[in-house]
Every structure is written in C-alpha cells, then in structure tokens.
Amino acid sequence: MEKPRVVLGVAGGIAAYKACELLRRLTESGHDVTVVPTASALRFVGADTWSALSGHPVSTEVWEDVHEVPHVRIGKAADLVVVAPATADLLARASHGLADDLLTNTLLTARCPVVFAPAMHTEMWEHPATRENVAALRRRGAVVVEPAVGRLTGVDTGKGRLPDPGEIFEVCRAALARGAQSPDLARRHVVVSAGGTREPLDPVRFLGNRSSGRQGFALARTAVARGARVTLIEANTGMTDPAGADVVHVGTALELRDAALKAAADADAVVMAAAVADFRPAAYAQGKIKKRDGVEPEPLALVRNPDILAALAAERPAPGQVVVGFAAETDDVLANGRAKLRRKGCDLLVVNEVGAHKTFGAAENEAVVLAADGGETPVPYGPKEALADTVWDLVVERLVTP
C-alpha cells in the first residue's frame, strides 16, 4: 500500500526542535513525510536534521527545482498538512492567503486536511488579531488545536506552549482517518469527562475504580480532530494532556460535578465518560487509620454522591445541548442500560460490559449506544477511537444548527 503523504510545516519558533519528535513518530508509523520549514525555522533546526529524519531533501524556496513546480506539487500531493509549531506570524500569513515562501504556497494549494499546532507567548495567542486569524482558518475547515499551558521561553508560564508531540501525532492520525470529511464540530464547544474519581478515606487511602480514562481521552482527541473546542475534565488518569484540549484536573466526584456544571454553561455537547463514584466516606480521618491487634475495624459509613449526569441532563444551561452518558455494566447489560437511560434523562447512553479484564485500561472497546428516541447503534470490538467517532457522529445528528 502507498504510504500516506504528510507535509510537516515548521515555523520559526523555539518549539521547532519539538517537531523532530513529531517527525519521528510520523515516519516510524509508516508515513511519507516531507518537511517544509520556513527560513526562520532553519535558524533553530538545520536542513540537514530534517533531511536525515525524513529521508527527503528540504527546501524553503519556491525558486528551487522550479521545473518541478514544488510550490504546487507538494500541496496537491499531500494527504495531510500539519504545521508545528505554527507561530503568530505563520497563522497571520496563512489566514490572509499570503504566499511568500514555500510553506505558505503549500498551504494554499493543499486540498487535504490541514492541522495547525500553535506555539507562542500567551499575550500573542490572546491578542485579538491572532484570535481573528485562528477563527478565519477554522471557518475554512482547518483544525487549529489549542496550545497547552506551561513553561514558555525564559521565565514565562501560561497558555501558548506547543502541545506534546505525541498528542499532536494522535490528532494527525485522527485527521488522516477522516480524510476529506469536513470538521463537523467546528465552532462547537464540547465537554468530555475522563478517568475515575477517588474518594479519600484518610491521608493515604481512597475509594476508587478501575477506569483508565482512555475512552474519554479518545473522545477528546477525536473531537479536536473534528474541529471542536474541547474542555476535558480529567480525574486521576496520569496521562499526558491531549493536544488541543483545555484540561481541568479533578480528584473527587464533588470536584468533577463543580467542574462539569461550570464547563457545560456554554457547551453544545457534554459527554460524561468518567467513572464517577456513587458513594463517598461519610467522614474523613485526618490521620492514617491504624490497624490494632485483636480489634476489628469500625464499619465504613458511606453517603451518596450527587448524580452528575442526571443533573446535567435536567438543567441543560445551553439551548439544544446534547448530553451523553456512559454505563458500565457487568450483567443484563442492555436491560440495565435502557433503565439507566430513562432514569438519567440524557440523549445518548453508551453501554458496555466491563470486568477486571474487560475494557478497563485496554486500547479497544465494544459497546451499544442507546438513544432516548429508541435507537440502538452497536459498535463492534475495536479501537476506542472508533467508538469515539461513532458517539460524535450521533451527537452531530442531534445538534441544533447554529
């Protein structure tokens, strides 16, 4: 089979060195990658490095090899163009259709999915000019992932850091899988919860569950690749934040409830994939609970946690909001799922069978998506990203046209 052809554009920012890791992941996973750096990018990483890692010669000029018309050929032949890092200057030139170097020419001729991974100082990212340029690119169908929050150059910290290259790679994979399909979640805000809550007993112990958060992360990544603005509420996963998602870290069910209700205020869709504890200890021991010889421990008193999914489905602060829940069942899977769908009042419920060696922590999943209108959509065993895309397909069908 012919290798997917990827153009990796690199703009002139200090984060250009991180694109080497993205290039390595792309080439090692079977993609044919052509690197197109800007002239300023070569001040950070030289052409020899890009050539050695990609196996292709590197050029920044439209005047080199003019008999091959590279500024047209490279873009037209690509299956995906990803620009990482995308500086404020590059975003401005791309949004205005300028073609003053090989990379911007390539962007104008590309008829494939285009992904921008911005990296710049916080003030530059938040400037109205940059925000307008990003909005213009998104309106035209490009995926512009939100930058990460963290250490920038010098002593500065804030939003503007290039997302982890491994996570940018996942966005690229999802965009390639969708091919020519339009980013149907563009200009939509979606909220996803992932992981499992932990309810503390004492300073060293907690009540928890086996949820790894992988399904929630797959939902977040695929939503980013489909153009959405994503808020991910993450509970105790230990995984790297997905590229392009605004991540809120929580620990307990009460913290997750507060974060979900806040994020849902302007969301078009809320997908509650996290495993939320039904109960929490009635009392928290300030010191470690000690074991005493010959003395049995006191029974553990529990109190019920609030039903977050039911509250979200009942309140729906944003008009036309679509609410999706998850039901992990061990027996009578569909019967229990249908009862839960009626009880919770959500639009869709993803029902799957779980156990010590099923679903939790695995890269694959199998489920049935139940709909409030009576529909049932089975999703065969396969990657969790496939289930995520099915969920978003069903959500898109139910979204109100903006």
Side-chain angles (χ1 to χ4, degrees):
M1 294 179 62
E2 186 176 351
K3 294 182 177 181
R5 292 160 298 188
V6 177
V7 173
L8 171 57
V10 185
I14 187 62
Y17 77 94
K18 294 183 179 180
C20 295
E21 172 63 14
L22 175 58
L23 173 57
R24 184 187 67 80
R25 288 176 179 265
L26 287 166
T27 55
E28 289 185 356
S29 57
H31 299 84
D32 182 14
V33 186
T34 299
V35 182
V36 182
T38 63
S40 56
L42 294 180
R43 297 171 68 92
F44 295 94
V45 181
D48 290 342
T49 299
W50 299 122
S51 296
L53 291 174
S54 68
H56 293 295
V58 169
S59 175
T60 66
E61 300 295 335
V62 296
W63 301 109
E64 295 181 17
D65 300 319
V66 292
H67 63 286
E68 295 183 355
V69 199
H71 65 288
V72 175
R73 175 180 52 80
I74 295 174
K76 287 178 65 176
D79 298 305
L80 173 75
V81 177
V82 53
V83 183
T87 60
D89 174 72
L90 188 283
L91 292 172
R93 289 189 289 138
S95 70
H96 286 83
L98 300 183
D100 53 356
D101 62 9
L102 187 56
L103 178 54
T104 49
N105 273 271
T106 298
L107 288 167
L108 278 181
T109 56
R111 294 299 180 266
C112 59
V114 177
V115 175
F116 293 92
M120 63 197 74
H121 270 74
T122 306
E123 293 80 5
M124 300 173 75
W125 173 252
E126 294 177 346
H127 194 283
T130 303
R131 305 308 295 166
E132 289 175 11
N133 292 332
V134 168
L137 291 168
R138 286 172 172 164
R139 283 195 302 272
R140 296 180 201 141
V143 174
V144 185
V145 303
E146 293 287 313
V149 176
R151 181 72 178 268
L152 306 174
T153 55
V155 298
D156 293 339
T157 300
K159 189 168 187 177
R161 182 182 177 90
L162 185 74
D164 180 83
E167 291 299 324
I168 299 174
F169 170 70
E170 294 298 334
V171 174
C172 292
R173 285 209 311 171
L176 272 167
R178 288 187 58 77
Q181 298 180 70
S182 63
D184 51 6
L185 288 173
R187 300 186 297 281
R188 301 288 193 175
H189 176 209
V190 303
V191 177
V192 178
S193 69
T197 60
R198 295 177 178 177
E199 309 302 323
L201 290 164
D202 63 21
V204 298
R205 302 182 180 93
F206 60 84
L207 296 178
N209 57 67
R210 295 178 181 272
S211 178
S212 67
R214 294 184 69 159
Q215 185 63 71
F217 273 55
L219 284 155
R221 291 189 186 107
T222 52
V224 168
R226 295 170 76 143
R229 176 168 68 92
V230 180
T231 299
L232 174 66
I233 304 172
E234 182 268 358
N236 308 300
T237 69
M239 293 192 289
T240 302
D241 291 351
D246 290 319
V247 183
V248 180
H249 298 279
V250 299
T252 67
L254 294 179
E255 292 171 352
L256 193 150
R257 177 200 60 184
D258 293 344
L261 291 175
K262 179 180 179 181
D266 66 343
D268 297 285
V270 181
V271 182
M272 295 295 293
V276 182
D278 293 320
F279 306 98
R280 67 182 186 275
Y284 173 75
Q286 296 297 325
K288 180 182 176 181
I289 301 171
K290 297 293 186 179
K291 178 176 65 176
R292 296 181 175 85
D293 291 341
V295 179
E296 292 298 318
E298 292 291 328
L300 181 61
L302 301 176
V303 295
R304 188 184 296 272
N305 272 324
D307 192 326
I308 304 172
L309 179 59
L312 287 165
E315 295 183 18
R316 301 188 192 244
Q321 186 178 88
V322 178
V323 178
V324 183
F326 272 68
E329 301 290 343
T330 57
D331 51 62
D332 296 328
V333 175
L334 288 181
N336 288 333
R338 294 186 187 98
K340 186 172 185 178
L341 176 63
R342 291 190 296 270
R343 189 168 67 252
K344 301 292 185 179
C346 50
D347 301 288
L348 298 167
L349 188 73
V350 183
V351 184
N352 57 355
E353 185 176 1
V354 297
H357 304 290
K358 289 183 178 179
T359 300
F360 291 128
E364 295 79 26
N365 203 350
E366 180 179 9
V368 176
V369 186
L370 304 177
D373 59 12
E376 293 186 9
T377 305
V379 183
Y381 185 79
K384 288 184 174 178
E385 288 78 11
L387 173 57
D389 266 321
T390 298
V391 171
W392 291 126
D393 289 343
L394 294 169
V395 167
V396 168
E397 291 176 4
R398 289 162 173 78
L399 288 173
V400 177
T401 303

